[in-house]
Amino acid sequence: MAALINGKEIAQRVRESVRAETEDFKARTGVTPGLAVILVGDDPASKIYVGNKKKACIEAGFNSFEHILPASTTQEELIRLVERLNADPSVHGILCQLPLPKHLSSRDVIAAISPKKDVDAFHPQNVGKIMIGDYDFLPCTPAGVMELIHSAGISVEGKRCTVVGRSDIVGKPMAMLLLHENGTVTVCHSRTKNLAEECRSADILVAAVGKAKLITGDMIKEGAVVIDVGMNRDENGKLCGDVDFATAEPKASYITPVPGGVGPMTVAMLMKNTLTAAKLFAGEEK
Ligand code: NDP
């Protein structure tokens, strides 16, 4: 039977430490960290995520600035808002909630965000810095996964790590962070020939696909660490991961549940990045 890695508890600890550090930082510098979140359109899931981020900001002692724009917003209007936020000294972090409506280019919007305020770490400059291991921010979800792995006392060094999914925001940076910690990393995707075999070779398996219960127990090595990033709805509309928990759990040594695993870590790491951005703004070390 696997030990559960409790993301809810670990995220709460991270948020509490950010809150305490923020209190000191504000007293020391007179600067209140500020996070601006841009939401375009009315995607219901995005609205929930933005609401959670606002709540977390308030709890951390940050200023939270919400910019809710209609789905008809043009690229020029969105870029103009980003430029205004780039120049605003009370804003230290800027986040544009994805996905954007189809007529807008998320790539161009991300590139317009000042790299110093890019608390999602999606800007090409920050992506490059992560690649060479010299960065101010890490993307929140992969950073949250590493925090879960560390909290469970698991060492990545020398382990075979398989990441399923190669998106720019989860899979690719995830693979890079495992590589930085000396894992031997395989990245799988939709064209991978034998996914089951690639997964079965993993000591640490990270699933970031977006397909409910794609990874089943027979694809998991006895004693593997299984991290499930996926957030899907099952046939009954219940939230579930990319891993079939019921068959995977008896094989794994550690496993993250969905909900309550990686999900809460993403917001916690966003708070950490926003505090880092404010510290750098105030001329402090991160
Ligand atoms: P994307 O859709 O951008 O990427 C999915 C990746 O999975 C792609 O690389 C794709 O391959 C690969 N893939 C698709 N089907 C298969 C398959 N059958 N076998 C192997 N690989 C496959 O998704 P994201 O990376 O944005 O998100 C992944 C999941 O993580 C989603 O469920 C999302 O909701 C969740 N998520 C959770 C977060 C959290 O806070 N917990 C935060 C962000 C995401 P290819 O490149 O070839 O198309």
Side-chain angles (χ1 to χ4, degrees), residues 49 122 140-142 145 163-172 187-192 195 207-212 214-215 219 228-233 240-242 258 261-267:
Y49 298 146
F122 294 163
C140 302
T141 302
V145 170
V163 179
V164 191
R166 59 170 166 183
S167 71
D168 292 338
I169 64 171
V170 190
K172 281 183 200 162
V187 182
C188 300
H189 44 78
S190 66
R191 320 277 173 90
T192 295
L195 182 66
V209 181
K211 294 226 148 64
L214 175 76
I215 314 283
M219 297 164 76
D228 192 353
V229 181
M231 293 225 278
N232 315 295
R233 296 277 164 192
C240 74
D242 292 340
V258 177
V262 177
M265 295 305 293
T266 300
V267 177

Side-chain angles (χ1 to χ4, degrees), residues 21 39 65 75 100 179 211 286:
E21 247 191 90
L39 174 65
F65 307 102
Q75 184 79 14
L100 287 172
L179 186 60
K211 294 226 148 64
K286 58 173 173 158

Side-chain angles (χ1 to χ4, degrees), residues 64 70 99 128 133 171 177 194 211 213-214 221 238:
S64 163
L177 300 194
N194 193 339
K211 294 226 148 64
K213 304 181 188 179
L214 175 76
K221 182 181 182 172
K238 230 181 106 198

Side-chain angles (χ1 to χ4, degrees), residues 72-173:
S72 59
T73 301
T74 65
Q75 184 79 14
E76 291 68 30
E77 286 166 333
L78 187 51
I79 301 278
R80 265 205 302 280
L81 170 61
V82 169
E83 285 168 351
R84 220 172 61 229
L85 297 172
N86 282 342
D88 184 340
S90 64
V91 172
H92 307 103
I94 304 170
L95 177 156
C96 184
Q97 187 65 46
L98 302 179
L100 287 172
K102 287 205 170 28
H103 66 284
L104 297 172
S105 155
S106 55
R107 197 162 267 197
D108 289 351
V109 174
I110 289 165
I113 295 173
S114 160
K116 292 192 169 84
K117 298 192 178 188
D118 170 40
V119 284
D120 259 337
F122 294 163
H123 189 284
Q125 190 173 311
N126 288 326
V127 173
K129 288 178 103 178
I130 292 159
M131 189 91 168
I132 58 171
D134 169 28
Y135 45 78
D136 294 323
F137 314 112
L138 288 176
C140 302
T141 302
V145 170
M146 295 314 291
E147 188 77 27
L148 291 178
I149 290 175
H150 296 153
S151 296
I154 297 156
S155 163
V156 174
E157 178 144 347
K159 301 269 168 63
R160 282 183 179 275
C161 306
T162 299
V163 179
V164 191
R166 59 170 166 183
S167 71
D168 292 338
I169 64 171
V170 190
K172 281 183 200 162

